[in-house]
Amino acid sequence: MARSDVSVTLNYYSNPFGANAKLILKDKSGNVLEMVKGNDVNLTEPGVYPAYVRLTSNGVSEVIEHQRMEPIFFVSNDPKLRNQAVH
């Protein structure tokens, strides 16, 4: 599939008993192709942008970048931030 054929939603929520983030991959028709739950850890101070979050699911960590308060996020490939993601 091409990137233009899918959408990805990232939800953060409060959950004292387990995962507190959910990624949902959908096709153009809105059908859920994959849903992954994970845990997030802020790598920057709350309310400061750009904001970076370490998201870990199934033993794999990625750094999520929020450039500003908006519904768009990026997966960072910055080596310094990725190093923080694995520690």
Side-chain angles (χ1 to χ4, degrees):
M1 296 184 108
R3 174 62 183 98
S4 59
D5 294 331
V6 296
S7 66
V8 179
T9 302
L10 172 57
N11 297 315
Y12 295 108
Y13 52 96
S14 216
N15 182 0
F17 304 109
N20 55 358
K22 186 182 340 180
L23 283 162
I24 304 166
L25 178 68
K26 294 182 180 180
D27 65 16
K28 282 185 174 182
S29 299
N31 299 311
V32 174
L33 302 173
E34 184 82 27
M35 182 177 68
V36 178
K37 293 181 180 180
N39 294 302
D40 69 288
V41 175
N42 287 324
L43 300 176
T44 51
E45 294 293 322
V48 174
Y49 291 92
Y52 298 95
V53 176
R54 180 180 65 219
L55 182 60
T56 304
S57 179
N58 299 324
V60 177
S61 293
E62 292 287 352
V63 176
I64 306 299
E65 177 181 356
H66 300 278
Q67 294 180 351
R68 61 189 63 76
M69 186 178 283
E70 65 181 356
I72 298 172
F73 65 92
F74 303 88
V75 177
S76 177
N77 62 0
D78 181 305
K80 182 179 174 185
L81 291 169
R82 293 193 57 76
N83 188 42
Q84 288 181 11
V86 297
H87 294 98

PDB file of all heavy atoms in Angstrom, residues 39-53:
ATOM      1  N   ASN A  39       3.116   2.264  25.429  1.00  0.00           N
ATOM      2  CA  ASN A  39       3.349   3.202  26.530  1.00  0.00           C
ATOM      3  C   ASN A  39       4.163   4.377  26.031  1.00  0.00           C
ATOM      4  O   ASN A  39       5.078   4.205  25.222  1.00  0.00           O
ATOM      5  CB  ASN A  39       4.089   2.508  27.677  1.00  0.00           C
ATOM      6  CG  ASN A  39       3.219   1.446  28.310  1.00  0.00           C
ATOM      7  OD1 ASN A  39       2.137   1.725  28.783  1.00  0.00           O
ATOM      8  ND2 ASN A  39       3.676   0.209  28.281  1.00  0.00           N
ATOM      9  N   ASP A  40       3.840   5.555  26.524  1.00  0.00           N
ATOM     10  CA  ASP A  40       4.578   6.745  26.110  1.00  0.00           C
ATOM     11  C   ASP A  40       5.289   7.378  27.298  1.00  0.00           C
ATOM     12  O   ASP A  40       4.825   7.279  28.432  1.00  0.00           O
ATOM     13  CB  ASP A  40       3.658   7.761  25.438  1.00  0.00           C
ATOM     14  CG  ASP A  40       2.675   8.390  26.395  1.00  0.00           C
ATOM     15  OD1 ASP A  40       1.736   7.696  26.811  1.00  0.00           O
ATOM     16  OD2 ASP A  40       2.858   9.568  26.740  1.00  0.00           O
ATOM     17  N   VAL A  41       6.427   7.998  26.999  1.00  0.00           N
ATOM     18  CA  VAL A  41       7.214   8.743  27.981  1.00  0.00           C
ATOM     19  C   VAL A  41       7.617  10.055  27.330  1.00  0.00           C
ATOM     20  O   VAL A  41       8.204  10.058  26.238  1.00  0.00           O
ATOM     21  CB  VAL A  41       8.483   7.954  28.392  1.00  0.00           C
ATOM     22  CG1 VAL A  41       9.358   8.789  29.312  1.00  0.00           C
ATOM     23  CG2 VAL A  41       8.114   6.632  29.039  1.00  0.00           C
ATOM     24  N   ASN A  42       7.298  11.175  27.975  1.00  0.00           N
ATOM     25  CA  ASN A  42       7.708  12.477  27.452  1.00  0.00           C
ATOM     26  C   ASN A  42       9.218  12.614  27.534  1.00  0.00           C
ATOM     27  O   ASN A  42       9.819  12.335  28.564  1.00  0.00           O
ATOM     28  CB  ASN A  42       7.058  13.618  28.246  1.00  0.00           C
ATOM     29  CG  ASN A  42       5.595  13.763  27.942  1.00  0.00           C
ATOM     30  OD1 ASN A  42       5.170  13.576  26.806  1.00  0.00           O
ATOM     31  ND2 ASN A  42       4.808  14.088  28.938  1.00  0.00           N
ATOM     32  N   LEU A  43       9.827  13.067  26.438  1.00  0.00           N
ATOM     33  CA  LEU A  43      11.263  13.336  26.411  1.00  0.00           C
ATOM     34  C   LEU A  43      11.545  14.823  26.553  1.00  0.00           C
ATOM     35  O   LEU A  43      12.696  15.220  26.650  1.00  0.00           O
ATOM     36  CB  LEU A  43      11.881  12.802  25.110  1.00  0.00           C
ATOM     37  CG  LEU A  43      11.733  11.296  24.874  1.00  0.00           C
ATOM     38  CD1 LEU A  43      12.297  10.922  23.511  1.00  0.00           C
ATOM     39  CD2 LEU A  43      12.414  10.511  25.986  1.00  0.00           C
ATOM     40  N   THR A  44      10.495  15.637  26.530  1.00  0.00           N
ATOM     41  CA  THR A  44      10.606  17.085  26.688  1.00  0.00           C
ATOM     42  C   THR A  44       9.612  17.544  27.751  1.00  0.00           C
ATOM     43  O   THR A  44       8.708  16.810  28.132  1.00  0.00           O
ATOM     44  CB  THR A  44      10.316  17.808  25.356  1.00  0.00           C
ATOM     45  OG1 THR A  44       9.087  17.333  24.816  1.00  0.00           O
ATOM     46  CG2 THR A  44      11.425  17.571  24.345  1.00  0.00           C
ATOM     47  N   GLU A  45       9.787  18.761  28.195  1.00  0.00           N
ATOM     48  CA  GLU A  45       8.882  19.331  29.203  1.00  0.00           C
ATOM     49  C   GLU A  45       7.482  19.488  28.625  1.00  0.00           C
ATOM     50  O   GLU A  45       7.331  19.879  27.461  1.00  0.00           O
ATOM     51  CB  GLU A  45       9.395  20.709  29.657  1.00  0.00           C
ATOM     52  CG  GLU A  45      10.700  20.663  30.410  1.00  0.00           C
ATOM     53  CD  GLU A  45      10.568  19.971  31.744  1.00  0.00           C
ATOM     54  OE1 GLU A  45       9.535  20.142  32.419  1.00  0.00           O
ATOM     55  OE2 GLU A  45      11.508  19.237  32.109  1.00  0.00           O
ATOM     56  N   PRO A  46       6.453  19.191  29.395  1.00  0.00           N
ATOM     57  CA  PRO A  46       5.078  19.367  28.911  1.00  0.00           C
ATOM     58  C   PRO A  46       4.820  20.813  28.482  1.00  0.00           C
ATOM     59  O   PRO A  46       5.276  21.755  29.132  1.00  0.00           O
ATOM     60  CB  PRO A  46       4.222  19.006  30.129  1.00  0.00           C
ATOM     61  CG  PRO A  46       5.093  18.139  30.972  1.00  0.00           C
ATOM     62  CD  PRO A  46       6.499  18.646  30.746  1.00  0.00           C
ATOM     63  N   GLY A  47       4.121  20.980  27.376  1.00  0.00           N
ATOM     64  CA  GLY A  47       3.753  22.304  26.888  1.00  0.00           C
ATOM     65  C   GLY A  47       4.820  22.993  26.061  1.00  0.00           C
ATOM     66  O   GLY A  47       4.605  24.085  25.564  1.00  0.00           O
ATOM     67  N   VAL A  48       5.993  22.378  25.909  1.00  0.00           N
ATOM     68  CA  VAL A  48       7.086  22.950  25.117  1.00  0.00           C
ATOM     69  C   VAL A  48       7.095  22.273  23.747  1.00  0.00           C
ATOM     70  O   VAL A  48       6.987  21.055  23.646  1.00  0.00           O
ATOM     71  CB  VAL A  48       8.448  22.735  25.823  1.00  0.00           C
ATOM     72  CG1 VAL A  48       9.599  23.197  24.951  1.00  0.00           C
ATOM     73  CG2 VAL A  48       8.466  23.440  27.167  1.00  0.00           C
ATOM     74  N   TYR A  49       7.213  23.087  22.688  1.00  0.00           N
ATOM     75  CA  TYR A  49       7.232  22.547  21.330  1.00  0.00           C
ATOM     76  C   TYR A  49       8.500  22.968  20.618  1.00  0.00           C
ATOM     77  O   TYR A  49       8.973  24.065  20.846  1.00  0.00           O
ATOM     78  CB  TYR A  49       5.990  23.014  20.557  1.00  0.00           C
ATOM     79  CG  TYR A  49       4.744  22.385  21.103  1.00  0.00           C
ATOM     80  CD1 TYR A  49       4.000  23.018  22.099  1.00  0.00           C
ATOM     81  CD2 TYR A  49       4.353  21.133  20.663  1.00  0.00           C
ATOM     82  CE1 TYR A  49       2.878  22.414  22.629  1.00  0.00           C
ATOM     83  CE2 TYR A  49       3.216  20.527  21.191  1.00  0.00           C
ATOM     84  CZ  TYR A  49       2.489  21.167  22.162  1.00  0.00           C
ATOM     85  OH  TYR A  49       1.392  20.558  22.688  1.00  0.00           O
ATOM     86  N   PRO A  50       9.080  22.105  19.796  1.00  0.00           N
ATOM     87  CA  PRO A  50       8.558  20.785  19.487  1.00  0.00           C
ATOM     88  C   PRO A  50       8.630  19.868  20.696  1.00  0.00           C
ATOM     89  O   PRO A  50       9.529  19.982  21.523  1.00  0.00           O
ATOM     90  CB  PRO A  50       9.462  20.282  18.361  1.00  0.00           C
ATOM     91  CG  PRO A  50      10.720  21.053  18.497  1.00  0.00           C
ATOM     92  CD  PRO A  50      10.349  22.367  19.112  1.00  0.00           C
ATOM     93  N   ALA A  51       7.666  18.970  20.782  1.00  0.00           N
ATOM     94  CA  ALA A  51       7.594  17.999  21.881  1.00  0.00           C
ATOM     95  C   ALA A  51       7.955  16.625  21.331  1.00  0.00           C
ATOM     96  O   ALA A  51       7.590  16.277  20.202  1.00  0.00           O
ATOM     97  CB  ALA A  51       6.190  17.978  22.473  1.00  0.00           C
ATOM     98  N   TYR A  52       8.682  15.858  22.149  1.00  0.00           N
ATOM     99  CA  TYR A  52       9.097  14.516  21.741  1.00  0.00           C
ATOM    100  C   TYR A  52       8.618  13.507  22.766  1.00  0.00           C
ATOM    101  O   TYR A  52       8.722  13.736  23.965  1.00  0.00           O
ATOM    102  CB  TYR A  52      10.616  14.447  21.587  1.00  0.00           C
ATOM    103  CG  TYR A  52      11.115  15.382  20.524  1.00  0.00           C
ATOM    104  CD1 TYR A  52      11.577  16.652  20.851  1.00  0.00           C
ATOM    105  CD2 TYR A  52      11.086  15.007  19.182  1.00  0.00           C
ATOM    106  CE1 TYR A  52      12.008  17.524  19.874  1.00  0.00           C
ATOM    107  CE2 TYR A  52      11.513  15.881  18.199  1.00  0.00           C
ATOM    108  CZ  TYR A  52      11.975  17.126  18.543  1.00  0.00           C
ATOM    109  OH  TYR A  52      12.401  17.995  17.569  1.00  0.00           O
ATOM    110  N   VAL A  53       8.108  12.389  22.266  1.00  0.00           N
ATOM    111  CA  VAL A  53       7.560  11.335  23.111  1.00  0.00           C
ATOM    112  C   VAL A  53       8.163  10.009  22.667  1.00  0.00           C
ATOM    113  O   VAL A  53       8.208   9.715  21.463  1.00  0.00           O
ATOM    114  CB  VAL A  53       6.018  11.273  22.967  1.00  0.00           C
ATOM    115  CG1 VAL A  53       5.435  10.123  23.757  1.00  0.00           C
ATOM    116  CG2 VAL A  53       5.388  12.595  23.380  1.00  0.00           C
TER     117      VAL A  53
END
